[in-house]
Amino acid sequence: MELNKIRQDAIQKLQNVTTERELAEIKTLLFGKTGELTGLMRKLKELPADEKPAAGKMINDLRVELLSLCDEKERTLHINAIEAKLNSDGIDLSIDKPFHTVGAAHPVNQVRKKLVDYFIGNGYVVYDSPEIETDYYNFQALNIPPDHPARDMQDTFFISDGILLRTQTSSGQIRLMEKNKPPIKMICPGRVFRNDDDSTHSPVFHQMEGLVVDKHVTLCDLKGTLEGFAKFIFGDETEIRFRPSYFPFTEPSVEVDVSCFNCHGSGCRVCKNTGWIEILGAGMVNRKVLENCGIDPDEYSGFAFGMGLDRITMITSAINDIKLLWENDVRFLRMFR
Ligand code: DAH
């Protein structure tokens, strides 16, 4: 009789439980030290010996049944609690949110890295030269004295008298040669600045200078070097040609063209129907420049070259406006991942 009542009561109470705390209270009431079922177990002792087994079994059966009901209730409460928290936190897993994308190097940096790797592989050291420069390193030591007409081509941003933003990485040649004696093999990549602004010119752009000085360096070495570089960047079938030119810091000076990687010489938009693309200036280091750096031009000779990294990026990626490289529009940059 008593067992039945305990059972009915417990089931009734469990049905109304809504929190884990209420459930804990019921469990104490039933199974705790002074709980109802514990009490009944104690009372077993008072029964006559022949009734004890049957009564004990009944109490234990009820205990097992109620324990399992409590467990079940506990699971339900736990699940409900998780769901309630999910709803109240306002996490809507059905929202279609774009994934974060992985970044990548800027196209000019990709070209720069590729070229730097190539020249390092050919024994060159990478030299970092300052962007804020003196007139001496940017011009005079490179055989461009004040009033030299060659200054006209390089619309210079002056900071103060004699201090300027370098217009060319050629200044790195002087700084390196002042401190290092031949043999020299170096490249100097970096930003340069000119007061120039249209679809193919930006006031800030990138160049990479190259310099080799040793005994018996000739124009042939220059040609072989640039041929290797051109094939590496534009493809194995690429040929190069030298056109006579003038730079104050090289003598003789050349302008270097590569055969068009797009049409292989037959003429197209990339090469403006000429079959050739102009990519850099170069030449044999002028004796005066070597002398300015304390290197004996009778003992040593050298070649130098300078290229525009933005220009090479524009050529290889068919970009027709240099602004695209500076605006940092991610829709554009994503095309180069
Ligand atoms: N500094 C030149 C420029 O900015 C490029 C150049 C030409 C660099 C010939 C050289 C060179 O080292 O030999 O237009």
Side-chain angles (χ1 to χ4, degrees), residues 249-305:
F249 34 90
T250 45
E251 180 59 36
S253 302
V254 291
E255 205 94 44
V256 183
D257 299 339
V258 291
S259 58
C260 182
F261 61 89
N262 191 43
C263 66
H264 302 291
S266 60
C268 70
R269 208 171 57 94
V270 177
C271 59
K272 299 191 185 108
N273 286 318
T274 62
W276 295 93
I277 305 168
E278 185 187 320
I279 55 155
L280 56 85
M284 300 307 291
V285 181
N286 192 308
R287 291 174 63 89
K288 287 199 193 141
V289 173
L290 293 175
E291 270 167 10
N292 287 342
C293 301
I295 295 174
D296 181 358
D298 290 325
E299 194 180 353
Y300 293 102
S301 57
F303 64 73
F305 54 89

Side-chain angles (χ1 to χ4, degrees), residues 168-196:
Q168 49 186 351
T169 46
S170 305
S171 52
Q173 290 186 30
I174 307 299
R175 287 190 175 271
L176 183 107
M177 281 193 286
E178 275 185 348
K179 296 231 169 64
N180 301 275
K181 295 304 144 211
I184 288 168
K185 275 178 106 177
M186 78 95 175
I187 49 167
C188 176
R191 282 194 296 188
V192 297
F193 308 83
R194 289 185 201 178
N195 190 1
D196 225 351

Side-chain angles (χ1 to χ4, degrees), residues 123-184:
Y124 289 67
V125 296
V126 180
Y127 184 67
D128 198 16
S129 194
E131 292 179 349
I132 297 175
E133 195 44 285
T134 63
D135 191 286
Y136 177 77
Y137 286 103
N138 196 78
F139 291 126
Q140 291 170 44
L142 286 161
N143 198 31
I144 316 175
D147 304 323
H148 192 290
R151 289 196 179 210
D152 260 6
M153 290 190 300
Q154 306 199 355
D155 298 313
T156 310
F157 289 116
F158 284 95
I159 294 172
S160 60
D161 205 19
I163 308 289
L164 44 84
L165 294 179
R166 69 173 172 196
T167 59
Q168 49 186 351
T169 46
S170 305
S171 52
Q173 290 186 30
I174 307 299
R175 287 190 175 271
L176 183 107
M177 281 193 286
E178 275 185 348
K179 296 231 169 64
N180 301 275
K181 295 304 144 211
I184 288 168

Side-chain angles (χ1 to χ4, degrees), residues 3 24 47 62 73 103 159 165 213 234 242 251 270 277-278 298 331 337:
L3 278 186
L47 287 181
L62 180 59
K73 189 76 194 181
I159 294 172
L165 294 179
V213 183
F234 297 111
F242 279 1
E251 180 59 36
V270 177
I277 305 168
E278 185 187 320
D298 290 325
R331 291 167 303 179
R337 272 200 305 228

